[in-house]
Amino acid sequence: MSTAEQQPDNPAPSTPDALLGPADIRELAAALGVRPTKQKGQNFVIDANTVRRIVRTAEVRPDDVVVEVGPGLGSLTLALLEAADRVVAVEIDDILAAALPATIEARMPAKKDRFALVHSDAMLVTELPGPPPTALVANLPYNVAVPVLLTMLDRFPTIERTLVMVQAEVADRLAAEPGNKVYGVPSVKANWYAHVKRAGAIGRKVFWPAPNVDSGLVSLVRRTEPIRTSASKEEVFAVVDAAFAQRRKTLRAALASWAGSAAGAEAALVAAGVSPQARGESLTVEQFAAIAEHKPAPERPAL
């Protein structure tokens, strides 16, 4: 049992029934004519204890401005409003986006002015209303979890703490350390921004409809100091992508196209202090950055 599960529920400033239960969720969905779809990765959380546990695990503070991606019918949104100063929800679905403000006003009227809705695809959002966000807490759709997470961390550098609920397999990949068999592109790129760790498991029964996969919580605390490197994020990520595109190959072979030749890749690796025979799954984000710094200059064609 996690620490978050052992802690008692925090006293809620709202009425005891402000959060959504199973019957509330189904009633809301029926009134809106909403059926969760696999295409949108929709699985609504129907358990109030679970959303409060997520908020506790996220360590949401009274002064936090929380951004939530994919609020759905508002289960987690209401729990966040109990604990945070403000919540900004980003919702792509037309029907859900239209209905959410009314749900907030009906169930937590005292907090309605502390809530803002952005009706958009999270991948397209470049600015948010109100004060800069300090935390990201979300039940991310399984099919877009990693790109949405990385995009939000990149575009909103004021986000200090993140807690996302994702498919268990994705959670394992995000939190994997070098040498782990599931360590890969998501692991390295998430580490560019933050210190990442698994923060708990979520059962299938707290969702409607119940997914056929387990879910996990991932905590990301933004680095107080960025990775020390003269290479840009784009240059580092290019090395990461190349290394894992052919993850069974040695880095000398896998980075040949990136460096212009296998010999060029070897020279960059040696200069970075990395064995040309190593594989991407054994490297830290700092080592990928060192390799990026030593990318060979492109050869000029002979006249």
Side-chain angles (χ1 to χ4, degrees):
M1 183 177 288
S2 70
T3 302
E5 288 177 292
Q6 294 171 341
Q7 296 172 349
D9 282 348
N10 294 331
S14 54
T15 57
D17 60 349
L19 300 196
L20 298 171
D24 300 313
I25 292 289
R26 289 184 171 86
E27 185 179 319
L28 262 175
L32 297 172
V34 169
R35 290 293 302 176
T37 66
K38 288 185 178 180
Q39 289 81 4
K40 293 181 180 178
Q42 290 172 329
N43 297 92
F44 300 133
V45 182
I46 58 174
D47 181 63
N49 288 331
T50 296
V51 292
R52 282 202 174 107
R53 174 191 160 198
I54 290 170
V55 173
R56 288 196 307 271
T57 306
E59 299 181 359
V60 175
R61 301 188 296 245
D63 61 344
D64 270 324
V65 177
V66 181
V67 59
E68 180 190 8
V69 175
L73 292 167
S75 300
L76 180 56
T77 316
L78 289 163
L80 289 168
L81 277 168
E82 283 187 335
D85 181 48
R86 295 176 181 274
V87 175
V88 179
V90 181
E91 177 58 65
I92 188 173
D93 186 281
D94 294 343
I95 295 174
L96 297 175
L100 188 55
T103 300
I104 301 302
E105 183 167 2
R107 303 189 74 90
M108 211 171 282
K111 289 293 190 97
K112 67 176 183 178
D113 293 335
R114 298 286 178 172
F115 170 75
L117 177 80
V118 176
H119 181 196
S120 177
D121 181 342
M123 295 293 289
L124 303 178
V125 172
T126 56
E127 59 182 3
L128 296 168
T134 58
L136 167 64
V137 184
N139 170 22
L140 291 178
Y142 292 164
N143 52 350
V144 294
V146 171
V148 165
L149 172 62
L150 296 177
T151 297
M152 295 298 289
L153 289 175
D154 188 60
R155 290 184 182 161
F156 301 101
T158 57
I159 293 174
E160 302 166 357
R161 287 160 289 114
T162 295
L163 187 80
V164 291
M165 178 160 56
V166 294
Q167 185 175 337
E169 183 181 340
V170 175
D172 290 340
R173 289 177 180 172
L174 283 167
E177 296 183 350
N180 190 301
K181 64 180 180 180
V182 298
Y183 182 77
V185 171
S187 325
V188 183
K189 291 185 178 180
N191 264 279
W192 171 265
Y193 299 104
H195 300 287
V196 190
K197 68 176 183 179
R198 267 290 219 132
I202 300 291
R204 304 181 187 190
K205 293 181 180 179
V206 303
F207 295 97
W208 174 68
N212 57 7
V213 293
D214 294 322
S215 300
L217 298 175
V218 181
S219 166
L220 301 96
V221 178
R222 190 177 292 271
R223 292 177 178 273
T224 54
E225 294 290 335
I227 300 294
R228 291 186 178 182
T229 178
S230 59
S232 68
K233 178 204 70 178
E234 289 75 18
E235 290 169 335
V236 176
F237 283 12
V239 180
V240 175
D241 290 336
F244 287 103
Q246 304 177 77
R247 64 182 298 150
R248 293 182 181 275
K249 293 188 175 182
T250 65
L251 286 171
R252 184 183 190 276
L255 297 181
S257 178
W258 164 81
S261 67
E266 180 167 348
L269 289 160
V270 170
V274 176
S275 168
Q277 300 307 309
R279 288 176 170 77
E281 63 196 38
S282 68
L283 268 58
T284 64
V285 64
E286 289 86 356
Q287 288 175 304
F288 280 110
I291 296 168
E293 291 176 7
H294 292 93
K295 182 176 183 178
E299 294 184 8
R300 294 183 178 180
L303 297 176

